[in-house]
Amino acid sequence: MDYTPSNIEQKWRDYWKKEGIYKVSNDSDKPKYYVLDMFPYPSGAGLHVGHPLGYIASDIYARYKRLTGFNVLHPMGFDAFGLPAEEYALQTGIHPATSTETNMERYREQLGALGFSFDWDREVYTCDPKYYKWTQWIFTELFKHYYDQTEKKALPITKLAERFAQEGNKKVKAANSYKGKFTADEWNAMTKVEQADVLMEYRLAYRKIGYVNWCEELGTVLANDQVKDGVSERGGYPVVQKAMKQWYLRITAYADRLLYDLDEIDWSDSLKTIQSNWIGRSEGASIFFEVDGSDKKIEIFTTRPDTIFGATYMVLAPEHDLVAKLTTDEQKQAVADYISYVKSKSEVDRMAEKEVTGEFIGAYAINPFTNTKIPIWIGEYVLKDYGTGAIMAVPSDDERDQRFATKFGLEIIDVVDKSKYPGATLHDKAGVIKNSGFLDGMEVPDAITAACQKAEEMGVGEMHINYKLRDANFGRQRYWGEPFPVIYDQDGLAHVLEVEDLPLVLPDTEDFKPAKGGRSPLARLEDWTNLPNGMTRETDVMPAVAGSSWYFLRYMDPHNDEAFASQKAVNYWQDVDLYVGGSEHAVAHLMYARFWHKFLYDQGLVPTNEPFKKLVNQGMIQGVIENIFLDKNSSEDARRFVSADMVSEEEMDNYVKIYTHIDFVSDYGKPDSHLTAEGLKKFLDWRKIYQKATFESKDGVFKNGEVTLNEGATEFRFMTFSEVGKMSKSRYNVINPDEVIGRYGTDCFRMYEMFLGPIEQSKPWDTNGIDGVSKFLNRYWSLFFDNQGNWSVSDAAPSKDELKILHTAIKKVTDDIQRFSFNTCVSAFMVCSKDLKKWRCNKKAILKELTVLLAPFAPHVTEEIWHRLGEEGSVHHTTYPTFNESYLKEDSIEYPVSINGKKRGLAEFPSDASRDTIMEAAKELAVVKKWSVDQGKQIRKVIVVPGRMINVVVG
RNA sequence: GCCGAAGUGGCGGAAUUGGUAGACGCGCUGGAUUCAAAAUCCAGUUCUCGCAAGGGAGUGCGGGUUCGAUUCCCGCCUUCGGUACCA
């Protein structure tokens, strides 16, 4: 009987569903294990072959853990709110709720066809009011708390208000954006509104006016990580800086914990580095510079306070608050011109242009260490968002300051002698200080400390740790997101809804298109927005990252209406043991999720400090992108395309690459990526605008559907140019898994994706090797049948050789699963099945164990075999085979014999032979003699590693 | 520029602690089966000299440590990913 996946796979999926074999209970005596996939955006495009890579790996691991006696939580859900889902809805004109539901259904089907062991009863999706009730609730909790830097945890804001009433804010060490100081009396004298405004500056969820990334095309504000190269990550639309009042999350309060706790978790170095760079901790000093003839002071941050004697001027960010106040009348016009010049530049221009620009504001500051007057400038190279938005410029030791000083003719004083450290840069913090008063002669690190001490003594500065991490902009002027559970009273003060009033359901409306100019779509729904007594609702919605910041906790207890999850459930499941997902979420999602988790931990609501113990980033499965070259100089009605082999690298600039549908090339071409005339006709039909095009290749010319061949050419071939890149609709290189599954079956697809290479590596999809995996599954199947195709399994006792083959596989597969090396697992199965076939093994004792071993990888075929073997229940509920070392023992070992490290022969020794015995015997070996005595050389040394190798040193 | 990861046959890749480089698969070559093909099975397949036995070279490049290096160290080159006036 032949192995026919289509006959068995659906049958067993139905059986698993009916029997509920993947249901997970929170009541179990078994140890827990939580395997989580990053839940997908249910986009309209459906799944492509790249999506399942991580899901297959995690499914194998989850199944392995289940077989080894763990109670495994392995859920799936959908990240259904947010821009991608909404953009799709806008394109299609269908309500986001409807299209999201349709897309989720499609995803459920596609995921189902891959045979994953998800407990679908625990599905969560972020746009479900039952789910986002708790997203909103966590937001209200963030609003009600502040971060106490003494206790290093979040505490209720009410406690802070009490403290202010008793002792003011001078002694309070808390994360805040409030600059001033006040006493208890001053606090108590404040009005209710004034007090609320102050408290707002301490809350973990707060509202402030800030410069935000505004994208007019998308009609919303974007987070820093949604902006790439000055344009929106989605759509590539221009992004400008705009001052708006927005909700923020004070993630910076947790900066140090987010940084140092990276040490506790098992993530890849590259991912930890990305997070740590994003947090961007740097140690230095904050120093105040007085302004000549003004009571204002400019605060700067520097990592090199030791170079302060070389600070010959200052630069403020053009947006700095003090610019307007300090600019002298004579410079007013020049400064205004400069600011409008800076504003006129888009983010893209600003990054492309490296030219030094700036303007003197007419005022002078006093260098506190030298007491000299130094000019104050503004310049766009000083960023408003980093440090204090102002710098002391040390042109001798900072490349940027140097360029600026050179261009504008500012004084340069050399303060660091780096002659002892050739090649040292600013970041090396190396050298000897000179021209710097009391710091002269000190090594840089000592001078930094000394300068900080001095600044503190003088009361002009202190040690300061600065972070690159910014508070998270949390408002979006869009429709498809969680509404803020916030109401403003007549005084404009924000109040959050209590848990009994949650969820605040997103009002249903057909009018969900983004509004222009910063107004939110929800603001148009006046019935919903306006409340009695002049109260109004917040009309912004939360970003997509809100719902994904805690979903892993909801899976623990997904139907709970009393809490985000019961304490019992949370205490049982604890945290995610294994998290598998793409590295594109390295900053945003993983940072916010850690932040929320730490906040909940501070509340005692979750038992662990970090949410994801181990994280594996699966690589991307890329698609082959086929391109055709279009001559830039050809006119609209006479398009000229040329074959890839006619374009040299130098000529590349004259051509534009046009994406071709991958199917044209595979259907009407050859493996070396060329299109036939027929393929080109298809291409012309598909891209109607190019119907008047001419295609030139080395073989001839293709015009108006007619081919004119060059002399000597036998057929018209048009070379395309192929590259490898991310699968995306716009590049026409998406490969859908359904087709592959239809032809080879799910088990084969799963194993082939694993066989492709290491899970963490990106690789292009190609089906060239899939036959090998298919052959393996057929071979595995054939072990159970005789030559006539009849079921033939024997109860006879297995031989020593058969046991050795099986246990070699058990060892290899088990070790490799544990280190996430699934490609080598597949090859171990291939070796095992080949060896068993060689021995014509049909012993049940062997094949049954092999079936269980294979079950995590190929869940369907193994279930079929399991039942044919007459076993009860599901193969996925049985026990994992036990490895027995003794079956691998050999009587003798074949040693490689090397002469001077070069392998020259083999020699067999009993496996219990001692090192000394082998060493002596080795000297007598013919190979050894041949390379020593026979050539008149001496044996100098013999190295034996028992069980491994022999090396003889001759000379 | 800075940070991180990587570079191994025609191709995807293996070698887990410094110990037989190229497992496994694709492709290719030859053979069996077949009227023939597909499918399947068997053998071979790093390059190179040689009929062969047997040599020589070989894990991006150049050095080093070691009895022994794909693995460790130093200096380069290339590719991919992240980040970018971060004071």
Side-chain angles (χ1 to χ4, degrees):
Chain A
M1 187 181 170
D2 287 342
Y3 166 56
T4 317
S6 54
N7 290 348
I8 55 174
E9 294 190 339
Q10 189 57 50
K11 179 177 83 187
W12 291 113
R13 282 200 291 270
D14 293 342
Y15 167 84
W16 296 333
K17 198 172 177 182
K18 195 178 101 229
E19 300 289 319
I21 76 154
Y22 302 127
K23 276 203 196 339
V24 187
S25 165
N26 284 3
D27 289 304
S28 171
D29 299 335
K30 294 177 185 173
K32 71 97 186 183
Y33 200 89
Y34 189 174
V35 180
L36 180 67
D37 291 297
M38 289 185 183
F39 62 170
Y41 292 110
S43 89
L47 287 181
H48 60 64
V49 293
H51 286 114
L53 186 66
Y55 301 155
I56 296 168
S58 62
D59 191 60
I60 290 168
Y61 203 80
R63 287 172 182 276
Y64 162 73
K65 278 286 173 183
R66 232 178 257 130
L67 287 172
T68 48
F70 287 85
N71 187 31
V72 177
L73 178 55
H74 186 43
M76 182 45 81
F78 300 100
D79 191 8
F81 262 145
L83 271 179
E86 184 168 7
E87 281 301 293
Y88 177 75
L90 287 171
Q91 279 164 29
T92 56
I94 304 165
H95 193 284
T98 315
S99 60
T100 302
E101 189 43 60
T102 316
N103 294 344
M104 286 198 294
E105 196 44 49
R106 169 113 190 266
Y107 269 67
R108 283 184 202 109
E109 260 171 47
Q110 284 193 306
L111 290 168
L114 288 157
F116 296 133
S117 61
F118 298 128
D119 178 358
W120 282 105
D121 288 350
R122 288 177 184 256
E123 177 192 318
V124 303
Y125 52 99
T126 53
C127 65
D128 180 356
K130 286 190 187 130
Y131 176 81
Y132 68 68
K133 170 179 181 176
W134 300 106
T135 310
Q136 291 172 329
W137 177 77
I138 296 171
F139 172 83
T140 65
E141 287 294 301
L142 285 162
F143 180 81
K144 289 175 185 173
H145 287 80
Y146 77 105
Y147 192 81
D148 190 292
Q149 286 163 331
T150 311
E151 296 206 22
K152 294 194 190 307
K153 64 185 283 197
L155 294 175
I157 195 89
T158 49
K159 290 260 186 281
L160 184 68
E162 283 167 24
R163 243 182 114 179
F164 285 167
Q166 279 162 21
E167 54 173 58
N169 76 343
K170 283 185 184 133
K171 286 186 199 156
V172 175
K173 282 189 72 186
N176 70 89
S177 36
Y178 183 75
K179 290 286 170 206
K181 299 278 180 204
F182 52 79
T183 62
D185 289 343
E186 284 166 334
W187 169 261
N188 293 322
M190 286 183 200
T191 65
K192 222 184 98 194
V193 175
E194 284 168 340
Q195 287 186 343
D197 285 345
V198 173
L199 288 178
M200 188 60 107
E201 309 248 26
Y202 284 82
R203 294 178 191 274
L204 286 172
Y206 65 102
R207 209 164 165 249
K208 71 160 185 190
I209 293 176
Y211 281 90
V212 295
N213 303 306
W214 175 256
C215 180
E216 182 66 25
E217 204 63 39
L218 294 173
T220 189
V221 154
L222 298 172
N224 287 338
D225 43 72
Q226 289 175 310
V227 183
K228 288 259 148 73
D229 303 326
V231 297
S232 67
E233 196 182 23
R234 277 205 80 78
Y237 304 116
V239 172
V240 295
Q241 296 297 297
K242 185 172 176 173
M244 283 178 79
K245 197 160 193 181
Q246 292 282 310
W247 281 99
Y248 284 82
L249 296 188
R250 204 178 300 282
I251 189 171
T252 50
Y254 285 84
D256 54 346
R257 280 169 64 186
L258 288 169
L259 180 66
Y260 293 121
D261 293 347
L262 286 173
D263 292 341
E264 290 175 16
I265 49 184
D266 185 7
W267 293 14
S268 71
D269 283 344
S270 73
L271 206 102
K272 285 185 183 183
T273 313
I274 291 171
Q275 287 228 332
S276 127
N277 288 346
W278 193 264
I279 295 166
R281 180 183 197 272
S282 55
E283 279 178 24
S286 93
I287 298 173
F288 286 92
F289 281 61
E290 287 187 15
V291 178
D292 190 35
S294 162
D295 58 347
K296 299 275 186 268
K297 287 178 182 174
I298 300 170
E299 185 185 8
I300 60 106
F301 172 75
T302 178
T303 54
R304 296 295 303 273
D306 55 311
T307 63
I308 192 164
F309 284 85
T312 51
Y313 65 100
M314 300 191 81
V315 187
L316 309 186
E319 302 89 347
H320 197 282
D321 291 342
L322 289 176
V323 174
K325 289 168 191 148
L326 298 180
T327 304
T328 57
D329 292 341
E330 304 86 78
Q331 287 299 99
K332 273 234 153 66
Q333 191 54 47
V335 166
D337 288 349
Y338 180 68
I339 289 173
S340 64
Y341 157 75
V342 169
K343 277 192 180 158
S344 73
K345 280 164 74 175
S346 72
E347 198 74 4
V348 190
D349 298 339
R350 201 164 162 167
M351 275 193 282
E353 214 174 305
K354 289 283 174 192
E355 205 194 322
V356 182
T357 68
E359 188 57 62
F360 178 46
I361 68 166
Y364 291 84
I366 313 283
N367 183 326
F369 279 52
T370 63
N371 275 318
T372 48
K373 270 171 69 174
I374 56 175
I376 304 170
W377 286 65
I378 55 173
E380 57 180 330
Y381 84 96
V382 175
L383 307 173
K384 65 185 183 306
D385 273 339
Y386 185 75
T388 60
I391 60 156
M392 64 172 199
V394 184
S396 67
D397 274 275
D398 184 291
E399 210 183 299
R400 295 152 301 170
D401 294 346
Q402 196 164 59
R403 266 188 289 150
F404 195 87
T406 311
K407 169 150 181 184
F408 296 110
L410 296 154
E411 190 187 359
I412 300 173
I413 301 172
D414 201 4
V415 287
V416 185
D417 177 7
K418 286 200 277 280
S419 53
K420 265 171 71 186
Y421 304 90
T425 66
L426 179 74
H427 301 285
D428 298 331
K429 297 190 181 176
V432 179
I433 303 296
K434 61 178 179 182
N435 298 329
S436 296
F438 72 99
L439 295 173
D440 279 354
M442 287 190 196
E443 288 283 339
V444 166
D446 302 333
I448 291 176
T449 316
C452 279
Q453 267 169 16
K454 183 80 174 176
E456 251 169 85
E457 276 166 34
M458 293 163 65
V460 296
E462 57 189 3
M463 287 273 297
H464 185 80
I465 290 155
N466 194 53
Y467 295 96
K468 212 162 82 179
L469 185 71
R470 302 290 85 199
D471 278 345
N473 182 300
F474 208 60
R476 296 289 182 272
Q477 292 68 43
R478 294 300 289 249
Y479 171 71
W480 194 235
E482 301 86 350
F484 280 91
V486 172
I487 288 173
Y488 298 103
D489 65 20
Q490 301 90 325
D491 295 322
L493 297 184
H495 302 273
V496 291
L497 299 181
E498 292 307 314
V499 67
E500 48 277 11
D501 299 320
L502 297 176
L504 174 62
V505 178
L506 178 68
D508 190 16
T509 174
E510 289 305 314
D511 187 16
F512 52 78
K513 285 196 180 56
K516 300 282 167 180
R519 230 167 90 93
S520 300
L522 290 181
R524 292 190 292 243
L525 305 175
E526 294 186 2
D527 288 352
W528 182 80
T529 307
N530 296 322
L531 296 166
N533 307 325
M535 312 259 268
T536 57
R537 288 192 195 279
E538 170 61 62
T539 56
D540 284 1
V541 298
M542 298 184 197
V545 78
S548 60
S549 290
W550 74 282
Y551 74 108
F552 49 93
L553 296 171
R554 186 63 177 172
Y555 286 134
M556 295 172 178
D557 190 11
H559 308 295
N560 195 326
D561 286 330
E562 306 300 314
F564 70 93
S566 74
Q567 282 303 293
K568 192 175 163 246
V570 173
N571 284 328
Y572 177 66
W573 291 111
Q574 297 266 319
D575 55 4
V576 176
D577 294 280
L578 171 67
Y579 196 19
V580 179
S583 57
E584 65 271 25
H585 299 109
V587 268
H589 161 58
L590 289 174
M591 195 75 86
Y592 295 123
R594 293 179 63 216
F595 161 42
W596 282 39
H597 196 84
K598 285 174 186 300
F599 171 69
L600 294 173
Y601 174 71
D602 287 353
Q603 307 305 300
L605 295 170
V606 294
T608 58
N609 185 28
E610 284 285 338
F612 315 120
K613 237 184 257 168
K614 180 175 175 66
L615 186 131
V616 172
N617 277 136
Q618 91 271 18
M620 223 164 23
I621 292 203
Q622 298 151 320
V624 174
I625 306 165
E626 296 284 1
N627 302 288
I628 281 177
F629 292 102
L630 166 65
D631 190 341
K632 270 185 189 167
N633 301 318
S634 65
S635 68
E636 189 64 40
D637 41 44
R639 292 299 191 144
R640 180 172 164 268
F641 294 86
V642 300
S643 188
D645 51 5
M646 295 172 74
V647 179
S648 70
E649 217 157 297
E650 302 84 66
E651 296 171 319
M652 214 70 120
D653 285 350
N654 299 324
Y655 297 90
V656 189
K657 279 189 282 189
I658 305 286
Y659 299 129
T660 313
H661 206 295
I662 192 161
D663 290 346
F664 298 147
V665 183
S666 53
D667 294 350
Y668 304 101
K670 282 272 144 54
D672 59 351
S673 311
H674 70 253
L675 272 173
T676 59
E678 201 182 345
L680 279 173
K681 271 184 201 160
K682 285 271 171 196
F683 177 76
L684 290 178
D685 280 349
W686 171 56
R687 290 272 177 111
K688 293 192 166 51
I689 45 166
Y690 296 126
Q691 270 180 352
K692 286 179 181 165
T694 306
F695 290 81
E696 278 174 48
S697 119
K698 282 187 170 165
D699 294 327
V701 177
F702 178 96
K703 200 174 179 180
N704 302 327
E706 299 288 325
V707 171
T708 316
L709 285 180
N710 289 339
E711 214 172 310
T714 50
E715 58 168 340
F716 181 78
R717 293 174 315 150
F718 187 83
M719 300 292 292
T720 56
F721 174 76
S722 53
E723 314 171 86
V724 166
K726 192 176 171 175
M727 283 194 187
S728 79
K729 248 178 151 180
S730 62
R731 285 186 274 201
Y732 309 104
N733 65 340
V734 174
I735 294 168
N736 186 297
D738 301 353
E739 201 186 311
V740 187
I741 289 173
R743 182 144 169 228
Y744 293 95
T746 300
D747 286 337
C748 185
F749 178 80
R750 287 168 60 108
M751 289 191 87
Y752 182 58
E753 284 228 352
M754 292 300 99
F755 190 58
L756 232 35
I759 190 76
E760 288 179 297
Q761 214 165 83
S762 289
K763 51 236 156 188
W765 172 260
D766 82 280
T767 42
N768 284 340
I770 199 165
D771 284 337
V773 176
S774 182
K775 273 183 215 168
F776 155 71
L777 285 167
N778 275 293
R779 198 185 309 122
Y780 160 73
W781 177 268
S782 72
L783 289 169
F784 298 85
F785 296 88
D786 62 19
N787 289 341
Q788 279 69 50
N790 297 315
W791 181 258
S792 162
V793 173
S794 136
D795 283 323
S799 71
K800 215 180 142 189
D801 291 302
E802 289 166 338
L803 283 166
K804 190 187 170 193
I805 293 165
L806 174 69
H807 282 264
T808 306
I810 295 174
K811 183 173 168 51
K812 176 76 179 150
V813 170
T814 310
D815 286 355
D816 287 357
I817 289 176
Q818 280 164 3
R819 60 187 188 106
F820 300 94
S821 176
F822 301 111
N823 54 332
T824 51
C825 289
V826 178
S827 93
F829 281 121
M830 288 171 168
V831 171
C832 175
S833 71
K834 257 195 164 160
D835 289 348
L836 290 177
K837 192 83 191 169
K838 224 170 253 170
W839 286 94
R840 299 177 187 280
C841 173
N842 67 343
K843 314 268 172 63
K844 185 172 176 181
I846 299 288
L847 299 183
K848 190 179 138 190
E849 299 267 280
L850 173 64
T851 298
V852 181
L853 193 67
L854 181 62
F857 295 82
H860 305 85
V861 66
T862 48
E863 188 78 292
E864 172 77 19
I865 294 289
W866 186 252
H867 285 260
R868 281 176 186 250
L869 284 169
E871 297 296 331
E872 291 293 314
S874 170
V875 68
H876 305 299
H877 280 178
T878 184
T879 312
Y880 196 78
T882 318
F883 169 62
N884 188 337
E885 181 86 53
S886 64
Y887 293 128
L888 300 194
K889 283 247 169 69
E890 289 282 4
D891 295 339
S892 64
I893 297 168
E894 197 175 49
Y895 282 84
V897 181
S898 298
I899 311 294
N900 291 342
K902 179 101 191 152
K903 189 185 139 196
R904 295 295 178 188
L906 296 166
E908 202 160 300
F909 290 98
S911 44
D912 54 1
S914 77
R915 192 196 195 98
D916 291 341
T917 317
I918 296 171
M919 216 178 266
E920 287 312 309
K923 291 177 187 166
E924 303 307 320
L925 287 168
V927 239
V928 176
K929 289 232 160 96
K930 183 185 165 193
W931 287 89
S932 54
V933 186
D934 294 359
Q935 297 187 13
K937 288 174 183 169
Q938 300 276 311
I939 294 173
R940 306 255 177 230
K941 202 173 171 187
V942 180
I943 293 135
V944 174
V945 181
R948 279 280 185 197
M949 46 65 69
I950 299 165
N951 188 22
V952 183
V953 185
V954 303

